[in-house]
Every structure is written in structure tokens, then in C-alpha cells.
């Protein structure tokens, strides 16, 4: 760390500092389980690197990690490969990460979450989870006690950032839980995976009704809009709002 960087840290965190979402149990239940300070530092580096990835589920190649300057500093350039492999092995044994060794020299590194495990199974990747399951007593690490909206969003749309968590929390106060789940389903089917689109659907349902009827011109009766037509309308409304904000 340069003297300038150190002086900046001594002044405290700057205004508008960015936050990286991190599973809470890593700083509570797991805090006394880390083998070394280096292991904890490596985990924090992995979480930060995964947060910057655009893949879903996000993963990090071993080569990317070991070539990172932060890793070089953590191990002080001494037996880096051996020490890093040991730290990763310990983190996997604790059930925090998963190592996928399709290429033994350059394995992929994932956080051990439900959506990642589902992805691995779906892709037909051979992985024995019996040795790296999360301790069943660590309930705060799993989504077992989470609201279904949180779990469904994570599994279908993306990671829960602090802003997304707050948006969902506020939505649950305003909308019915089932409506939010249905809106997430529509967003997933239309491959528009962001909260703004989901919010647009909920707002339309609030103003027009979830099961809006249209008059059939042939016999004068009412029928429900097809899901395909409604989905198209939701998307047009979403695009209109984005353009009004100067976004494309």
C-alpha cells in the first residue's frame, strides 16, 4: 500500500463509498472457524471479484485469483501457489466455496449457494457435495428462513445487492407476495432480468388490475388478455419509462 493510499484510509471512508454484499454468516457464525487471517483475506478477495463478474452464477478461475496483486501481498510472495491452494481447500471444507475441477490446473471458484449447486447439477457437472455441505446448524447461511421472494429473485434474476434487498423489502409492504413472485416469473420468461421491469409489472397491475378484461368484438363478452400480450405491454411500458429517464 502506498503512503497516499494509507493517508486516505486514515481519513475514513469517503462519501458515496460503494458496498459489496457479503453473506452475513461469514462475519458471525463462521468468524471463529477461519484457520488463518490469510484465509479470511482470500475469501474477501473472492467475494469482491465475484461481485464484479457479470456471469450468473458468477465464478472465478484459479489463474485469475493467483495473479491478483492482492493475493501476492497476502502471502508476501512466499509459496503462493501452495498456500493459496490450502486456503481454498479449507474454505471448501467449511462449505463456503465450491471448486469445480474441469481443468485441474485452473479450477473454477464459486460461492457455495443454492443457485450455484442447482446450476452444477443442471449442467451435468460431476461434483460430490457430501464433503462440502454447509453445516446444518448454520441456518443463517442458507435461504431456508428467507422470504420466498428473495430466494426466487436470487435463483432467477441475480444476486441480492443492498439496494435490491431494500427494493424487495419495500415492495413486500406495498404488494401481495404472490403478485411479486408472478412478476418475477414474467421477467424471467421474457429474459428481462432486472428489478425495474418487475416493478413496472407490479405498478401496472396496481393501476389496471392484474386480470384486466378486454371486450371481444365478435360476441361482446369479456376475456382476459393472453399472458403473451400482457408481457409485451409490460416490456413496452418498461422501455418507455427508461427512455423518459434518458436511458436506452
Amino acid at each position: 500500500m502506498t503512503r497516499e493510499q494509507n493517508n486516505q484510509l486514515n481519513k475514513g471512508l469517503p462519501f458515496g463509498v460503494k458496498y459489496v454484499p457479503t453473506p452475513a454468516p461469514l462475519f458471525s457464525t463462521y468468524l471463529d472457524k477461519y484457520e488463518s487471517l490469510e484465509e479470511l483475506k482470500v475469501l474477501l478477495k473472492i467475494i469482491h471479484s465475484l461481485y464484479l463478474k457479470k456471469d450468473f452464477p458468477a465464478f472465478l478461475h484459479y489463474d485469475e485469483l493467483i495473479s491478483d496483486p492482492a493475493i501476492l501481498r497476502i502471502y508476501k510472495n512466499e509459496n503462493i501457489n501452495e498456500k493459496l491452494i490450502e486456503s481454498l481447500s479449507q474454505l471448501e471444507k467449511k462449505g463456503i466455496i465450491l471448486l469445480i475441477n474441469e481443468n485441474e490446473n485452473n479450477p473454477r471458484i464459486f460461492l457455495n449457494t443454492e443457485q450455484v449447486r442447482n446450476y452444477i447439477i443442471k449442467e451435468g457437472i460431476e461434483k460430490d457435495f457430501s464433503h462440502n455441505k454447509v453445516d446444518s446448524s448454520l441456518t443463517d447461511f442458507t435461504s431456508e428462513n428467507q422470504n420466498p421472494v428473495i430466494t426466487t429473485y436470487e435463483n432467477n434474476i441475480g444476486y441480492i445487492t443492498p439496494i435490491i434487498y431494500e427494493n424487495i423489502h419495500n415492495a413486500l409492504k406495498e404488494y401481495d407476495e404472490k403478485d411479486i413472485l408472478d412478476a418475477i416469473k414474467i421477467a424471467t420468461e421474457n429474459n428481462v432480468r432486472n428489478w425495474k421491469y418487475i416493478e413496472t409489472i407490479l405498478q401496472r397491475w396496481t393501476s389496471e388490475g392484474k386480470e384486466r378484461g378486454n371486450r371481444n368484438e365478435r360476441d361482446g363478452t369479456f376475456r382476459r388478455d393472453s399472458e403473451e400480450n400482457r408481457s409485451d405491454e409490460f416490456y413496452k411500458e418498461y422501455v418507455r419509462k427508461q427512455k423518459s429517464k434518458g436511458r436506452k
Side-chain angles (χ1 to χ4, degrees), residues 223-234:
R223 61 175 174 78
R224 289 176 56 184
D225 284 345
S226 69
E227 290 188 8
E228 182 178 353
N229 289 340
R230 293 305 306 279
S231 296
D232 187 56
E233 289 181 10
F234 293 141

Side-chain angles (χ1 to χ4, degrees), residues 12-55:
L13 298 174
F15 175 77
V17 65
K18 294 182 179 180
Y19 290 83
V20 177
T22 304
L26 302 186
F27 299 106
S28 55
T29 313
Y30 275 95
L31 199 55
D32 61 347
K33 297 181 180 294
Y34 299 111
E35 302 296 325
S36 65
L37 181 59
E38 287 78 11
E39 182 183 315
L40 176 58
K41 288 181 178 180
V42 168
L43 175 59
L44 292 177
K45 184 59 191 177
I46 290 173
I47 291 173
H48 178 254
S49 298
L50 292 176
Y51 176 71
L52 298 177
K53 294 284 185 178
K54 295 183 179 180
D55 306 286

Side-chain angles (χ1 to χ4, degrees), residues 195-212:
W195 175 256
K196 287 295 182 183
Y197 182 59
I198 295 168
E199 191 174 45
T200 297
I201 295 173
L202 293 169
Q203 290 171 349
R204 284 288 296 273
W205 282 344
T206 299
S207 62
E208 300 179 3
K210 188 175 180 180
E211 297 183 358
R212 188 187 66 190

